[in-house]
Amino acid sequence: MNQGIQSTPSGDEGKLKLAIQKSGRLHDDSLKLLKECGIDISNGVNKLKSEASNFPLEVFFLRDDDIPQYVEDAVADIGFVGENVVYEKNKKIDVVEKLGFGKCRLSIAVTRGDVYDDVNFLEGKRIATSYPVLVQNFLNEKGINAEIHEISGSVEIAPGIGLAEAICDLVSSGSTLFMNGLKEVETILQSQAVLIRNRQLAPGQQAILDKLLFRIQSVKKAKNNKYVLLNAPNDNLQQIISLLPGMKSPTVLPLAEEGWSSVHSVISESTFWDIIEKLKAAGAQGILVVPIEKMII
């Protein structure tokens, strides 16, 4: 293996080896997630690996394109990497958990002046991309014959210099496409960071992974929910409670002022504003919304 990182015997069950991106869009969020999980990692300048001080975890800092191969070869036991890389490399690994960050999409784009009615526009065209496997799979599925030009970096410039009539690249906001005179026309894959694992983990390593997953899932649940406190008139208390399912049921405490109660609950981020509007309409007052750091169910 390159970069000076070598495989260690698979019988070492006392520690889990995690590969993350050494630089780029997933690096900072990967370290942030570990910190939110209560895992302290010292990431010095140009370090290829580091050990957690309070969890049986060793972290390797690698190129994202190499991570699936390292995990398949058991140089790393697990990895944080984009789904786009996982499916492009198509290695013998398992996707264990979606991590909720690094969200983007792999899309085909053409010049803004092109009239694009459907995927048949791509018939016989040249497509520049860093993801030839995923693009070819898409074309095969649609029954389209096109010529794929594999390039790395600066894919958006390909139509402007006559290399291709279309491109396929990762898109987040779409601003880069716009600045290069392109428009998004087909989405091949919705992608985010995922946790992948080697298929031959030893029992002790799997036990450590289970502990890590428990922490990750608790952090994710916390981000997707809000803790809400409000004052409710007792006359409308049952109606207000019916709007707040919480994890089990809302907590209700009497206030010093007669005829009023304090209600505490958890609301999902996806339904938050709709429920808040209904609570106000039902007479709730003094609504406080508090972020949740961890959520253990």
Side-chain angles (χ1 to χ4, degrees):
M1 282 295 168
N2 58 15
Q3 298 188 326
I5 296 176
Q6 298 179 351
S7 178
T8 56
S10 59
D12 181 11
E13 298 189 28
K15 186 182 299 180
L16 202 62
K17 296 168 290 183
L18 165 66
I20 68 172
Q21 193 176 35
K22 68 178 180 180
S23 62
R25 65 189 187 92
L26 300 185
H27 173 83
D28 291 344
D29 284 336
S30 295
L31 290 177
K32 180 182 177 184
L33 176 59
L34 292 175
K35 183 177 181 180
E36 290 171 336
C37 290
I39 300 173
D40 293 328
I41 299 290
S42 174
N43 180 24
V45 177
N46 296 325
K47 289 184 67 174
L48 292 180
K49 61 181 180 178
S50 182
E51 289 195 33
S53 60
N54 58 351
F55 193 83
L57 188 73
E58 186 174 14
V59 179
F60 297 161
F61 301 97
L62 307 171
R63 288 182 66 253
D64 58 342
D65 287 352
D66 294 335
I67 290 175
Q69 183 69 64
Y70 276 104
V71 173
E72 180 185 73
D73 292 342
V75 174
D77 304 308
I78 61 174
F80 292 171
V81 67
E83 285 180 281
N84 53 296
V85 176
V86 172
Y87 300 127
E88 176 67 23
K89 298 303 180 182
N90 195 29
K91 300 300 180 181
K92 296 176 182 178
I93 50 91
D94 292 328
V95 174
V96 179
E97 181 82 11
K98 295 192 175 186
L99 299 176
F101 62 84
K103 292 183 178 179
C104 59
R105 55 196 180 274
L106 184 63
S107 295
I108 291 176
V110 299
T111 59
R112 285 207 298 271
D114 287 329
V115 178
Y116 187 95
D117 294 323
D118 55 37
V119 73
N120 290 310
F121 172 90
L122 300 173
E123 182 69 32
K125 298 293 195 301
R126 297 169 297 171
I127 304 174
T129 186
S130 302
Y131 300 93
V133 173
L134 288 171
V135 173
Q136 190 61 64
N137 290 343
F138 173 79
L139 295 174
N140 292 343
E141 179 184 320
K142 299 296 182 180
I144 300 296
N145 291 312
E147 183 181 342
I148 297 175
H149 285 257
E150 182 179 359
I151 60 177
S152 59
S154 303
V155 175
E156 297 87 357
I157 200 174
I161 62 175
L163 179 63
E165 290 78 39
I167 70 162
C168 185
D169 202 14
L170 293 180
V171 179
S172 294
S173 66
S175 60
T176 303
L177 294 180
F178 183 81
M179 287 187 294
N180 285 277
L182 303 174
K183 61 182 179 182
E184 191 175 356
V185 293
E186 297 283 348
T187 297
I188 290 180
L189 174 72
Q190 294 288 346
S191 178
Q192 63 176 288
V194 294
L195 190 161
I196 59 174
R197 52 155 276 176
N198 178 273
R199 292 177 176 175
Q200 304 297 325
L201 289 186
Q205 294 170 320
Q206 183 61 52
I208 299 171
L209 176 55
D210 290 341
K211 291 180 180 180
L212 177 60
L213 280 171
F214 177 76
R215 297 190 185 193
I216 290 173
Q217 290 163 358
S218 297
V219 169
K220 286 174 57 183
K221 290 187 182 87
K223 290 181 178 179
N224 293 330
N225 291 275
K226 302 293 184 183
Y227 190 72
V228 176
L229 306 86
L230 59 88
N231 297 330
N234 289 345
D235 291 344
N236 291 354
L237 187 57
Q238 291 307 312
Q239 180 185 356
I240 288 173
I241 288 175
S242 69
L243 298 171
L244 292 166
M247 288 183 285
K248 287 187 179 292
S249 63
T251 299
V252 180
L253 302 170
L255 289 178
E257 183 177 345
E258 188 175 348
W260 286 82
S261 296
S262 175
V263 181
H264 300 202
S265 189
V266 173
I267 299 179
S268 170
E269 185 76 47
S270 61
T271 59
F272 175 80
W273 287 110
D274 183 53
I275 290 179
I276 290 296
E277 291 172 0
K278 292 178 180 178
L279 290 171
K280 286 183 64 66
Q285 297 181 10
I287 302 174
L288 299 179
V289 181
V290 182
I292 302 171
E293 184 176 329
K294 306 287 188 297
M295 189 168 169
I296 314 299
I297 297 180

